Amino acid sequence: YGRFIKYLKYWQENDIVGACAQTDAKGDRSKRPHDQADPDLYVHVVERKGDGIIVRGAKQSITIPPYSDEIVVLPTRAMREDDKDYAVAFAVPGDADGVKLVTRPAFLRKRQKLDAPIAHTGVSDSMIIFDNVFVPWERVFMCGEWELSRNLALLFALFHRHSYTGCKPAVSDILGGSSALVAECNGIERATHVREKLSKFIGLAELVYAAGVASAQFAKKSPSGTYVPDPVYANAGRRLAGENIYHEYDLLIDLAGGLAATLPPEGDFYSEETGNLVDKYMARNPKVSSEYVHRTFRLIENIACSGIAGWLQIAGMHGGGSPVMETIAIMTDYDIRGMKDVAKYLAGINKELPRIRHEDLVDYYIDID
Ligand SMILES: Cc1cc2nc3c(=O)[nH]c(=O)nc-3n(C[C@H](O)[C@H](O)[C@H](O)COP(=O)(O)OP(=O)(O)OC[C@H]3O[C@@H](n4cnc5c(N)ncnc54)[C@H](O)[C@@H]3O)c2cc1C
């Protein structure tokens, strides 16, 4: 723990940017780490030395490693005793010897004339290969403590999912805002079905955000002094977002129509031969200019029909943990017995309904003021 605190201070003092590498290659999903045909399919310790450890394996789908100072590695799942060499957590500089970043950038076509903030966005994800990397002991935070692997994996996922409940509603706002904009361009913003669709974005974004607020409000103070978000609220919020990302795209594309996929290339809007004609046929709602319509559809092409669009959708479903993982976390932490007790009481199976004791609630309300 002392080691970790020292490392944390290094981050704080140097304003470090880090990538969290949790997701292993994982191989055959039905097998545990030590059962895999190739032992390197989960990152593991291959040698323990006097001054540190040697690790090998690969982490997959990791966001931002090429522009991170540090890569923090932790287990992706619970381990059993047989898996103890896989119960390893450590940190290395992004350019440490033996660390190979195989990177897939997602970016938008460069614009020539119609510049806009969205055109300057992009992201990179890497497969991080640890090819016999030496890690000094002061950067090793777990090495063989397989019983703690589950907690560490879930704890990182919990904080990540909690932060997700804050950032994902912003994606919904972008998708919902673009839907409102294109409805205006199409002259249909007052139609009942449009208002119904826009309200879906609002309902989703606000519920996910509310789950994050509730998770923070009901956070519990851990012995270290760090507050840990409530896992049920955070996971329920993240799952709601993950299950609905494709539905949000469904709503946007329904309202945008096919031009989102077939918008003429930017150059044709400015060519001598076709520019005026393309502009003429872009006209829709007389209250907005052709450039307004062009800008709207270029935005929608960028967020819904591009390399980044695919990234946003898949990130929306799997980034931070697929919905099934939130289901597992919810089922681990929720008091199903309490829920069943209510049904038993109402059905007359039990005569008494156990009351929630005030002492159990005190913890929850401790910091509300
Ligand atoms: C854009 C993006 C960014 C990401 N960034 C990061 C990052 O920065 N750091 C990081 O650590 N990870 C990151 N991830 C990885 C993300 O956490 C994983 O994609 C997610 O946890 C799912 O794991 P997976 O991709 O291996 O899918 P899988 O686990 O292979 O899931 C695929 C399907 O298999 C099913 N399945 C898996 N195992 C079993 C089993 N034993 N039995 C039955 N069914 C099973 C799942 O339920 C799912 O339906 C990112 C992912 C994306 C898409």
Side-chain angles (χ1 to χ4, degrees):
Y1 182 65
R3 235 184 240 172
F4 178 74
I5 292 296
K6 207 166 154 202
Y7 180 67
L8 179 65
K9 285 190 178 145
Y10 163 71
W11 268 59
Q12 291 169 338
E13 282 157 14
N14 293 282
D15 194 17
I16 295 291
V17 172
C20 179
Q22 179 170 37
T23 308
D24 284 277
K26 295 192 283 196
D28 182 340
R29 272 47 182 165
S30 68
K31 295 201 161 87
R32 307 194 67 81
H34 78 276
D35 272 339
Q36 297 287 337
D38 180 341
D40 298 341
L41 289 170
Y42 283 76
V43 170
H44 63 120
V45 182
V46 287
E47 197 183 336
R48 290 170 171 75
K49 298 164 65 144
D51 51 352
I53 57 175
I54 309 278
V55 293
R56 190 159 67 225
K59 295 283 185 178
Q60 206 158 274
S61 306
I62 311 304
T63 307
I64 73 160
Y67 31 98
S68 294
D69 303 305
E70 291 275 319
I71 295 168
V72 179
V73 176
L74 60 149
T76 201
R77 59 177 297 162
M79 305 285 173
R80 294 197 186 140
E81 194 165 3
D82 292 342
D83 302 317
K84 66 175 184 304
D85 286 340
Y86 297 88
V88 61
F90 58 88
V92 286
D95 57 356
D97 280 352
V99 171
K100 298 180 199 305
L101 307 182
V102 184
T103 299
R104 190 262 189 200
F107 51 88
L108 295 165
R109 272 191 202 140
K110 212 168 164 36
R111 298 210 190 170
Q112 283 123 37
K113 292 197 191 279
L114 197 77
D115 199 14
I118 184 77
H120 299 280
T121 58
V123 66
S124 287
D125 302 277
S126 307
M127 174 187 279
I128 308 178
I129 300 173
F130 297 90
D131 190 14
N132 294 318
V133 174
F134 171 72
V135 190
W137 282 117
E138 62 267 23
R139 284 172 159 269
V140 177
F141 311 117
M142 168 186 270
C143 183
E145 295 88 354
W146 60 273
E147 309 92 321
L148 299 176
S149 185
R150 176 181 176 279
N151 276 2
L152 187 55
L154 281 179
L155 197 61
F156 168 71
L158 170 58
F159 276 95
H160 190 5
R161 289 171 198 163
H162 181 239
S163 62
Y164 203 96
T165 58
C167 67
K168 172 55 186 46
V171 175
S172 296
D173 282 352
I174 294 168
L175 297 172
S178 303
S179 302
L181 200 55
V182 79
E184 181 194 5
C185 290
N186 288 343
I188 56 167
E189 58 194 322
R190 292 184 168 277
T192 314
H193 78 95
V194 174
R195 297 177 71 75
E196 169 75 17
K197 288 183 174 95
L198 295 181
S199 79
K200 300 273 183 201
F201 287 106
I202 298 166
L204 258 170
E206 299 304 328
L207 267 180
V208 172
Y209 192 73
V213 172
S215 174
Q217 187 77 312
F218 294 115
K220 288 211 167 123
K221 196 173 179 178
S222 70
S224 72
T226 304
Y227 272 83
V228 178
D230 178 88
V232 173
Y233 286 122
N235 279 286
R238 167 63 187 80
R239 185 174 69 172
L240 184 67
E243 286 173 340
N244 280 287
I245 182 75
Y246 283 93
H247 180 47
E248 291 177 291
Y249 271 94
D250 185 2
L251 297 170
L252 168 64
I253 295 309
D254 184 331
L255 291 176
L259 198 61
T262 60
L263 184 65
E266 191 196 347
D268 292 322
F269 282 83
Y270 299 101
S271 102
E272 236 173 77
E273 189 182 346
T274 57
N276 288 339
L277 289 168
V278 175
D279 259 351
K280 170 178 154 81
Y281 293 113
M282 284 299 285
R284 296 188 173 211
N285 180 347
K287 290 189 192 140
V288 300
S289 66
S290 284
E291 184 180 314
Y292 192 100
V293 179
H294 180 194
R295 283 190 176 280
T296 299
F297 275 93
R298 192 65 66 198
L299 168 68
I300 294 176
E301 177 193 62
N302 285 171
I303 60 175
C305 188
S306 68
I308 285 199
W311 186 94
L312 278 169
Q313 290 162 0
I314 296 172
M317 176 174 269
H318 289 294
S322 322
V324 68
M325 293 170 186
E326 282 100 53
T327 300
I328 293 169
I330 290 168
M331 295 307 281
T332 305
D333 284 301
Y334 199 79
D335 178 16
I336 296 186
R337 204 190 46 183
M339 193 161 83
K340 221 168 139 190
D341 279 345
V342 174
K344 281 186 183 166
Y345 172 72
L346 289 174
I349 296 169
N350 285 354
K351 296 273 170 277
E352 298 281 323
L353 178 60
R355 299 271 162 195
I356 298 172
R357 291 170 312 144
H358 179 67
E359 306 86 273
D360 295 338
L361 291 174
V362 167
D363 258 7
Y364 280 127
Y365 294 108
I366 217 154
D367 265 316
I368 285 181
D369 294 345

